[in-house]
């Protein structure tokens, strides 16, 4: 399978429905850059938390906005793993913890934060050849993306995947806590005023509740052929 031209692949959808796993795999398959935009919102949340810009789960918005220009985020390889760097520090593990997960919905509601991160994301994808995952990639960041996926899975399946991932990383969490956090984030993501999670009109839905990753890749290959974007 070979892509005819360099394209942008936008992967949007709910928390923990395997967007990153799938997007990473596609990036590897096509030799594309992979960008996890959720990690960028998480890195800003970690910055706010570490710098005392939060009180009782609330963000000191103006303070954070005034410091945005001091927040440098990029992605670098550590072995064969893509890691998120915040001001030159590898924060890949820390941004996945419960403290950041509980803050990130609040941070991602802030218009100026979104504006700042969207401009970084557009710069990262300006030469195409990119797979970007998030919530607003097909609607706001790259409305002209050649392929837009909207991924879903039931909240039980998603909570189980997140739980297994965190336990494997050594976090002490309960399944109930994870499920509650996921459902709260679904609500926040869909109901927020700024760029809520929604399916772009031209996005294609992929419900992977009962699909293996290999099945998803086969499905995607067929999609590329149907769209005339690839040759066998
Ligand atoms: O994909 P994730 O669960 O790591 O994302 C973390 C949070 O960031 C999620 O609650 C929604 C937010 N987010 C967003 O608002 N826009 C994006 N493009 C990506 C993530």
């Amino acid at each position: 399978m070979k892509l005819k031209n360099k394209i942008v692949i936008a992967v949007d959808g709910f928390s923990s429905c395997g967007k990153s796993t799938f997007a990473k795999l596609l990036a590897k398959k096509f030799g594309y850059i992979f960008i996890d935009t959720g990690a960028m919102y998480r890195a800003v949340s970690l910055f706010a938390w570490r710098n005392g810009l939060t009180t009782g789960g609330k963000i000191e918005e103006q303070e954070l906005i005034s410091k945005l220009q001091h927040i440098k985020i990029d992605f670098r390889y550590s072995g064969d793993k893509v890691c998120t760097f915040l001001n030159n520090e590898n924060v890949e593990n820390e941004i996945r913890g419960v403290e950041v997960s509980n803050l990130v919905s609040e941070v991602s509601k802030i218009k100026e934060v979104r504006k700042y991160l969207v401009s970084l994301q557009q710069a990262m994808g300006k030469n195409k050849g990119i797979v970007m995952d998030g919530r607003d990639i097909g609607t706001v960041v790259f409305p002209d993306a050649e392929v837009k996926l909207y991924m879903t899975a039931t909240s039980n399946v998603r909570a189980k995947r997140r739980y297994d991932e965190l336990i494997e990383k050594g976090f002490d969490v309960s399944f109930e806590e994870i499920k509650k956090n996921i459902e709260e984030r679904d609500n926040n993501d869909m109901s927020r005023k700024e760029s809520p999670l929604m399916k772009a009109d031209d996005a294609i839905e992929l419900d992977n509740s009962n699909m293996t990753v290999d099945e998803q890749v086969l499905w995607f290959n067929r999609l590329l052929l149907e769209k005339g974007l690839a040759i066998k």
Side-chain angles (χ1 to χ4, degrees):
M1 170 83 39
K2 201 173 168 303
L3 287 165
K4 288 185 189 163
N5 295 304
K6 246 185 173 187
I7 61 171
V8 172
I9 303 175
V11 183
D12 288 306
F14 293 96
S15 305
S16 306
C17 64
K19 293 189 302 295
S20 292
T21 308
F22 190 56
K24 247 182 239 168
L25 213 125
L26 296 183
K28 195 164 173 206
K29 178 176 156 89
F30 298 120
Y32 275 20
I33 296 167
F34 159 69
I35 303 288
D36 171 1
T37 62
M40 299 172 81
Y41 288 91
R42 287 172 177 274
V44 173
S45 307
L46 179 63
F47 177 93
W49 189 58
R50 280 181 173 176
N51 288 277
L53 306 180
T54 64
T55 21
K58 285 269 162 257
I59 312 287
E60 309 283 347
E61 266 192 49
Q62 290 312 318
E63 281 285 297
L64 177 60
I65 292 167
S66 71
K67 292 192 165 61
L68 280 177
Q69 296 300 329
H70 303 287
I71 304 180
K72 189 173 158 269
I73 301 167
D74 58 22
F75 297 94
R76 302 180 202 169
Y77 274 96
S78 171
D80 64 349
K81 196 169 168 246
V82 184
C83 293
T84 313
F85 279 70
L86 168 63
N87 293 332
N88 295 315
E89 177 193 346
N90 185 343
V91 293
E92 184 56 35
N93 281 335
E94 217 174 331
I95 58 168
R96 309 290 164 191
V98 175
E99 290 83 5
V100 170
S101 295
N102 286 337
L103 261 188
V104 67
S105 281
E106 284 304 310
V107 169
S108 57
K109 273 183 195 160
I110 307 171
K111 189 174 168 184
E112 289 79 0
V113 169
R114 302 204 71 83
K115 211 170 143 203
Y116 178 63
L117 293 183
V118 166
S119 69
L120 293 182
Q121 291 152 11
Q122 288 172 335
M124 289 169 174
K126 72 175 189 309
N127 296 324
K128 301 201 175 196
I130 194 163
V131 187
M132 192 172 274
D133 90 59
R135 305 292 188 289
D136 57 346
I137 312 308
T139 50
V140 176
V141 184
F142 291 114
D144 296 329
E146 287 80 355
V147 181
K148 297 182 186 179
L149 297 184
Y150 188 77
M151 289 180 67
T152 64
T154 64
S155 63
N156 247 335
V157 166
R158 290 184 286 135
K160 177 76 172 65
R161 288 178 187 158
R162 190 72 143 202
Y163 174 77
D164 290 346
E165 192 182 299
L166 288 171
I167 291 293
E168 202 191 306
K169 284 185 180 160
F171 286 101
D172 179 20
V173 288
S174 74
F175 176 78
E176 285 312 318
E177 172 188 15
I178 298 298
K179 191 169 170 203
K180 186 164 164 268
N181 177 266
I182 281 186
E183 288 175 347
E184 276 171 12
R185 281 196 291 141
D186 286 356
N187 276 333
N188 286 329
D189 285 350
M190 286 187 295
S191 63
R192 71 165 174 246
K193 217 168 87 218
E194 296 300 327
S195 310
L197 168 66
M198 68 186 172
K199 183 174 168 287
D201 288 342
D202 50 350
I204 294 148
E205 189 164 330
L206 169 61
D207 180 341
N208 67 8
S209 304
N210 298 307
M211 283 171 95
T212 64
V213 175
D214 286 346
E215 285 166 342
Q216 293 172 57
V217 172
L218 286 177
W219 174 89
F220 190 72
N221 285 347
R222 278 198 302 273
L223 177 76
L224 289 178
L225 291 172
E226 269 167 34
K227 279 178 150 290
L229 292 167
I231 43 172
K232 268 192 182 170

